[in-house]
Amino acid sequence: MKVVGSLDAMRAARASLPDPLGLVPTMGFLHEGHLSLVRHARAECASVAASIFVNPTQFAPTEDLSSYPRDLDRDLEMLEAEGVDLVWTPSEDEMYPAGFQTWVTVETLTRPLEGAHRPGHFRGVTTVVAKLFNAFQPQRAYFGQKDAQQAVVVRCMAMDLDFPLQVIICPTVREADGLAMSSRNSYFDPQQRQAAVVLFQALSRASEAFDSGEREADKLRQLMTETLAGEELARLEYISVAHPDTLEELSGPIDSGLLSMAVFIGKVRLIDNMLVGEQRES
Ligand code: AMP
């Protein structure tokens, strides 16, 4: 496995890798969720590359950029064990040199949900992902359903800007009790860790109700809100039943939907989601 820091070294190493190349962009502090993306890429591509970059432009000034967990040595060991061919670990200066002023913005899809609560977040995401796509020239790029809106936004950006690649969305990997794996789970004390499962419980309750015939979007939102209210450490930021493609909030009876939420457990902000109905993951 080759590990490179500069863009020039990365391009040189990439040029010797066989196509199709699968790219897995990450912010590091890897867990089984990230590794599942690598495994999908490894199974489907002739070569696999990953990036590890805690992207400052997708964090608001009030967010956890400086405390975001990092462990590069461990990350590289994990990627090597999965058979990754190339890892790029750019510095902030390499990614955003002095004078940088070009941004990629996806419009309507970034307004609701995360976009409404994290202004500027998706502009940072789509800009860095566009730069990664340009740098690596992958034929396939792998993202997690865990970040459902990001998946929809990145897919739209790739299509609108004619990137000649396929965006592949992999299912959310969960802990044994259902908590979606996240680098931010490392912030929790044991009591908070236990409370954090309430997101999965709320989503499961609504999803099971849907499977039993409940189709009213309002009722599904109410079931999730009630479940969250039962956990005193949880503070709800938003709860949503939205169209899985347009991300528009739904009302009345639905055939399919994206159930999603953002919840604070203490100071840690968690997001999670489940698809229900026709477009559901198998
Ligand atoms: P991050 O390092 O948090 O930026 O995540 C890098 C990629 O891993 C993104 O495409 C995420 O959606 C994906 N990812 C993060 N957590 C999970 C998870 N629990 N299951 C599946 N994919 C995940």
Side-chain angles (χ1 to χ4, degrees):
M1 184 176 82
K2 195 146 187 156
V3 183
V4 293
S6 77
L7 176 60
D8 287 347
M10 200 286 287
R11 283 195 202 274
R14 192 279 177 248
S16 64
L17 291 177
D19 293 341
L21 173 76
L23 172 65
V24 181
T26 82
M27 298 205 301
F29 212 70
L30 304 180
H31 49 67
E32 283 293 317
H34 299 110
L35 297 186
S36 78
L37 306 186
V38 172
R39 287 175 198 140
H40 276 93
R42 190 68 279 173
E44 297 171 5
C45 303
S47 51
V48 177
S51 58
I52 299 178
F53 180 60
V54 182
N55 178 31
T57 64
Q58 68 188 67
F59 288 76
T62 51
E63 294 179 352
D64 58 344
L65 173 62
S66 59
S67 61
Y68 195 84
R70 290 163 165 89
D71 189 342
L72 183 59
D73 291 343
R74 181 169 154 275
D75 289 346
L76 294 177
E77 270 175 37
M78 291 165 90
L79 294 175
E80 177 134 49
E82 296 297 332
V84 170
D85 300 290
L86 172 61
V87 184
W88 189 27
T89 60
S91 65
E92 287 188 20
D93 287 346
E94 185 81 41
M95 196 59 94
Y96 300 109
F100 184 91
Q101 55 187 294
T102 302
W103 300 96
V104 177
T105 308
V106 172
E107 299 206 335
T108 314
L109 286 173
T110 64
R111 289 198 187 113
L113 306 174
E114 289 298 281
H117 293 89
R118 302 186 68 189
H121 169 69
F122 285 115
R123 182 180 85 143
V125 170
T126 43
T127 300
V128 83
V129 170
K131 284 170 70 73
L132 292 169
F133 286 178
N134 278 327
F136 279 98
Q137 308 267 311
Q139 280 74 34
R140 295 188 187 133
Y142 293 81
F143 294 84
Q145 176 61 28
K146 159 76 170 44
D147 298 280
Q149 187 175 15
Q150 171 174 279
V152 173
V153 165
V154 166
R155 187 169 263 165
C156 176
M157 184 219 37
M159 215 164 64
D160 288 351
L161 297 186
D162 306 316
F163 281 105
L165 55 80
Q166 215 184 327
V167 172
I168 293 158
I169 310 305
C170 303
T172 302
V173 177
R174 298 178 180 282
E175 303 283 358
D177 65 356
L179 174 65
M181 291 198 182
S182 164
S183 306
R184 290 186 169 100
N185 293 348
S186 63
Y187 294 140
F188 288 135
D189 68 29
Q191 202 192 356
Q192 292 171 326
R193 167 63 189 83
Q194 240 182 342
V197 75
V198 74
L199 284 82
F200 176 71
Q201 289 167 342
L203 290 164
S204 301
R205 189 163 167 215
S207 167
E208 282 159 21
F210 181 92
D211 288 344
S212 312
E214 179 57 70
R215 290 289 181 274
E216 286 296 321
D218 282 342
K219 182 67 186 168
L220 297 173
R221 273 188 290 269
Q222 184 198 332
L223 288 171
M224 293 192 280
T225 308
E226 271 174 23
T227 309
L228 288 162
E231 173 49 68
E232 60 180 23
L233 294 184
R235 186 167 57 81
L236 175 62
E237 190 173 63
Y238 69 80
I239 211 148
S240 163
V241 178
H243 189 284
D245 301 321
T246 66
L247 305 182
E248 281 165 340
E249 204 58 28
L250 298 173
S251 56
I254 61 169
D255 295 329
S256 65
L258 173 68
L259 315 179
S260 71
M261 59 183 64
V263 176
F264 280 94
I265 307 282
K267 289 195 170 124
V268 184
R269 183 178 183 279
L270 292 181
I271 58 171
D272 200 353
N273 70 86
M274 276 185 198
L275 288 164
V276 294
E278 288 157 11
Q279 317 205 18
R280 189 167 180 168
E281 302 156 42
S282 54

